[in-house]
């Protein structure tokens, strides 16, 4: 058995199949980060490089760090295919970035990445530690109880799963400003250096909403787990129907065979 459930969750399935629907918004987001040639950038919880590749295309020296070995390998394959010698992916855990030196990055980016690591206070400390004074940390975090796609997938899925273990801290708490202030405060950052904004990320999938749900069921670790739990109680069809209805309701595309679903997130900018 894999001793680290956090790692096992993200190595399960194949997140690259979902990430394919996130490339356009990843590109657009990176263009707002003020990246200049030669900047040292850490992309934490980078997956297969939805934001890391565009960062490198802007000329930054980019290190992608992710806990999932299969995603690190996929990222390195994408970097090589794109001819980006200024981008490397490596395995690492946001709660303990022991391979990375203090004050070594101008910009630390974590888009729906570090929020999924346990021990959020350790994560905040590590992100601050590796950032140079005057540098920035930019996080994108899903928002709990938000009416848009991701929070709703989570709400629906949770109803089919056993309650989380005692002491479990939901990743979605990173989408609550008071928690973010407390966590970076614990890492020595005063609240005046932390800014918040609401932003939108759009999933664009080449298929119908039902086919997009099928991709989540087949490839996305958290949804795979929800279906496994639902199957134990013969409730998989019910979960499928709820998710089908959600995805169909949130789809804004009028083109047949193309699904487009916007989702709101909390954008956090920390000046170190
Ligand atoms: C929803 S995906 C987002 C990936 C990527 N940032 C993107 O936008 O496509 C979450 C990512 O966080 C990574 N992750 C989860 N826990 C982590 C941890 N403790 N340390 C580093 N990465 C982690 C997962 O492996 C996964 O690639």
């Amino acid at each position: 058995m894999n001793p680290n459930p956090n790692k096992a969750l993200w190595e399960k399935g194949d997140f690259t199949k979902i990430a394919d629907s996130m490339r356009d918004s990843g590109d657009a987001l990176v263009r707002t980060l003020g990246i200049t040639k030669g900047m040292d950038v850490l992309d934490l919880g980078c997956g297969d490089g939805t934001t890391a590749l565009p960062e490198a295309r802007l000329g930054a020296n980019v290190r992608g760090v992710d806990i999932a070995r299969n995603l690190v390998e996929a990222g390195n394959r994408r970097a090589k295919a794109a001819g980006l010698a200024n981008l490397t992916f490596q395995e690492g855990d946001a709660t303990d970035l022991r391979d990375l030196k203090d004050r070594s990055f101008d910009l630390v980016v974590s888009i729906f990445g570090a929020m999924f690591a346990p021990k959020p206070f350790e994560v905040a400390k590590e992100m601050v530690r590796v950032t140079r004074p005057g540098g920035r940390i930019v996080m994108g975090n899903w928002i709990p109880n938000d009416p848009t796609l991701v929070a709703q997938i989570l709400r629906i899925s949770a109803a089919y799963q056993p309650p989380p273990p005692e002491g479990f801290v939901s990743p979605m708490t990173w989408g609550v400003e008071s928690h973010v202030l407390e966590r970076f405060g614990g890492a020595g950052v005063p609240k005046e250096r932390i800014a918040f904004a609401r932003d939108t990320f759009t999933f664009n999938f080449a298929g119908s909403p039902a086919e997009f749900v099928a991709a989540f069921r087949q490839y996305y670790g958290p949804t795979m787990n929800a279906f496994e739990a639902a199957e134990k109680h013969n409730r998989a069809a019910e979960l499928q129907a709820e998710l089908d209805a959600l995805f169909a309701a949130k789809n804004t595309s009028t083109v047949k065979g193309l699904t487009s679903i916007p989702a709101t997130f909390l954008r956090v900018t920390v000046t170190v």
Side-chain angles (χ1 to χ4, degrees), residues 4 6-7 9-11 15 18-20 22-23 26 43-52 65-72 90-97 109-118 123 142 150 201 220 222:
N4 182 344
N6 176 220
K7 184 174 167 69
L9 175 68
W10 291 100
E11 287 182 348
F15 180 73
I18 305 300
D20 278 341
M22 301 170 75
R23 308 297 188 209
D43 196 311
L44 188 56
C46 55
D48 67 346
T50 290
T51 48
V65 169
D66 198 281
I67 199 160
R69 175 181 302 202
N70 53 334
L71 299 179
V72 166
Q90 68 187 56
E91 262 183 77
D93 187 336
T95 64
D96 179 0
L97 296 170
V109 180
S110 192
I111 305 303
F112 324 128
M115 67 172 287
F116 289 103
V123 171
W142 299 120
V150 181
F201 203 95
Y220 183 63

Side-chain angles (χ1 to χ4, degrees), residues 18 22 26 46 54 67 69 77-78 114 135-136 167 173 176 181 196 235 265:
I18 305 300
M22 301 170 75
C46 55
I67 199 160
R69 175 181 302 202
R77 280 195 300 274
R78 292 184 74 224
R136 284 170 298 144
T173 53
V176 179
L181 292 174
F196 298 103
R235 295 183 67 203
F265 68 96

Side-chain angles (χ1 to χ4, degrees), residues 1-55:
M1 208 186 106
N2 195 318
N4 182 344
N6 176 220
K7 184 174 167 69
L9 175 68
W10 291 100
E11 287 182 348
K12 191 167 180 153
D14 183 359
F15 180 73
T16 67
K17 299 283 200 281
I18 305 300
D20 278 341
S21 70
M22 301 170 75
R23 308 297 188 209
D24 300 339
S25 282
D27 272 358
L29 195 157
V30 167
R31 282 196 295 274
T32 68
L33 293 176
I35 290 177
T36 51
K37 205 167 180 316
M39 220 181 222
D40 292 318
V41 175
L42 168 65
D43 196 311
L44 188 56
C46 55
D48 67 346
T50 290
T51 48
L53 266 81
E55 288 153 9

Side-chain angles (χ1 to χ4, degrees), residues 10 59 61-62 120 125 136 146-147 160 164 198-199 232 238 254:
W10 291 100
N61 303 313
V62 184
K125 257 188 216 138
R136 284 170 298 144
D146 184 82
Y160 292 83
R198 301 260 157 165
D199 210 335
K232 286 194 186 124
E238 218 182 304
T254 50

